[in-house]
Amino acid sequence: MLATRTYQIPNNPLKNLRKKSIEILFFAIFFNFYNLHSQSSNQSSVYNWFDNTIKKENLPINNGKLHTNFDKLLGAVDRYYISDKFSPGNLGYENQGYFDVSLKYDIYKDELILKSQEEGLIEINLIKENVQSFKLYDKKFVNLNFDKQLPSNFRGGYYEENQTGKNFVFYIKHYKEKKDIIKGTETFVDYYYKNQFLLFTQGKYNLINSKNELIKLFPNEKDKINDFYLMNRNLKSENESRFMENLMRYINSI
């Protein structure tokens, strides 16, 4: 088994340098001092240009523990969100934006993983306290650990910010539970997908575990909520996340 290893860049000056340099770049571009038309088409391209120039392995995001996974799967379901492969995503880290970085999300451990270029291609669990948000598979995730209004008995960590309504924000917590299965002398793992629905409205977070809890929050829409449940029973049993997403979109349109 590999020993736990932490990658850190001591006294790394690049955090402030990156921000100041990009501010200077935007200022210079505005006055047409440099011919950077291809890099300045949007903010992300300028950030990428800077990151590539100073080498991505030297960026502050390359800090964290080595990600390891020794699972022996019994079935096809692993511990990751959608896929165990890395995909391009965006990242808000220490109040700075990073674009087109390689990410995957371990929803069993609630760890966001970066494919780093340091010392070759390694996988790093990003320091959760430094991650404000990220975007992966066109879904936006936010770190609700930063929100002091989140009750202590709620699951913390990363939530999908699914949609923002006229008077609410709807979140989905994606997670997995595992079961160890012994076959002979070997132990295998089987994972089960779970979710939790969270609604921020009227100044507080509310867990949505039932139709009645939702009606308490939207009493004026009781009949329409009941009708939606009745007409979409199959979707609720097949894909509860999609059902709730459609329901919240419906409530927002009323």
Side-chain angles (χ1 to χ4, degrees):
M1 181 176 293
L2 293 175
T4 299
R5 184 177 178 187
T6 301
Y7 290 88
Q8 294 182 334
I9 303 174
N11 301 319
N12 194 327
L14 290 174
K15 177 182 175 182
N16 293 329
L17 173 62
R18 183 177 187 265
K19 182 176 180 180
K20 291 179 180 178
S21 298
I22 291 171
E23 289 174 352
I24 294 171
L25 274 175
F26 278 121
F27 184 80
I29 293 168
F30 179 79
F31 285 99
N32 202 23
F33 286 166
Y34 297 97
N35 183 21
L36 292 175
H37 175 73
S38 60
Q39 287 89 355
S40 62
S41 58
N42 53 51
Q43 185 183 25
S44 64
S45 62
V46 176
Y47 273 86
N48 288 339
W49 175 85
F50 180 83
D51 292 347
N52 288 326
T53 299
I54 57 92
K55 295 186 178 181
K56 288 187 176 182
E57 62 265 28
N58 295 322
L59 293 174
I61 56 174
N62 285 287
N63 289 334
K65 293 182 179 179
L66 182 70
H67 178 72
T68 57
N69 179 4
F70 302 106
D71 291 340
K72 291 183 178 181
L73 296 177
L74 185 64
V77 181
D78 56 40
R79 62 172 58 204
Y80 301 98
Y81 174 71
I82 296 185
S83 175
D84 64 343
K85 308 299 181 186
F86 283 95
S87 294
N90 299 338
L91 175 65
Y93 190 89
E94 293 187 310
N95 298 313
Q96 294 196 57
Y98 296 86
F99 302 89
D100 298 324
V101 292
S102 294
L103 300 172
K104 65 180 178 180
Y105 178 22
D106 178 348
I107 62 174
Y108 172 67
K109 289 288 191 179
D110 200 41
E111 296 283 1
L112 183 62
I113 304 147
L114 171 75
K115 182 166 71 173
S116 172
Q117 302 296 322
E118 185 174 338
E119 298 183 13
L121 299 178
I122 61 172
E123 302 181 8
I124 294 174
N125 290 338
L126 289 169
I127 300 172
K128 187 176 295 184
E129 291 77 11
N130 295 340
V131 178
Q132 285 83 40
S133 64
F134 63 94
K135 188 174 182 180
L136 189 62
Y137 299 109
D138 291 323
K139 299 291 186 180
K140 179 184 177 181
F141 292 82
V142 294
N143 187 353
L144 288 188
N145 284 348
F146 287 100
D147 197 327
K148 302 302 182 183
Q149 298 184 78
L150 187 71
S152 59
N153 61 329
F154 284 26
R155 284 180 173 268
Y158 302 121
Y159 278 74
E160 178 194 340
E161 188 178 285
N162 185 272
Q163 55 185 295
T164 300
K166 289 175 284 191
N167 57 357
F168 67 83
V169 182
F170 174 57
Y171 300 95
I172 301 176
K173 178 65 179 177
H174 303 278
Y175 67 100
K176 289 182 180 178
E177 294 179 349
K178 76 171 183 176
K179 181 179 181 181
D180 292 332
I181 300 173
I182 299 175
K183 285 185 172 291
T185 59
E186 293 189 279
T187 300
F188 295 87
V189 175
D190 208 1
Y191 284 98
Y192 303 88
Y193 173 77
K194 301 281 187 176
N195 53 39
Q196 187 179 78
F197 305 112
L198 199 62
L199 199 66
F200 183 80
T201 185
Q202 301 172 16
K204 62 180 293 189
Y205 287 98
N206 305 270
L207 276 177
I208 306 300
N209 293 317
S210 69
K211 179 176 64 174
N212 289 336
E213 290 175 345
L214 194 58
I215 289 174
K216 286 181 182 178
L217 295 173
F218 301 100
N220 295 333
E221 316 303 339
K222 177 179 178 180
D223 291 341
K224 293 179 179 178
I225 292 173
N226 281 327
D227 289 343
F228 189 92
Y229 269 80
L230 182 63
M231 293 185 296
N232 295 274
R233 287 177 297 181
N234 291 338
L235 179 60
K236 187 177 186 303
S237 62
E238 294 169 1
N239 190 329
E240 192 176 18
S241 292
R242 181 69 56 82
F243 171 85
M244 289 298 297
E245 181 177 352
N246 290 348
L247 173 58
M248 298 312 302
R249 187 176 293 113
Y250 175 67
I251 290 174
N252 189 51
S253 68
I254 296 173

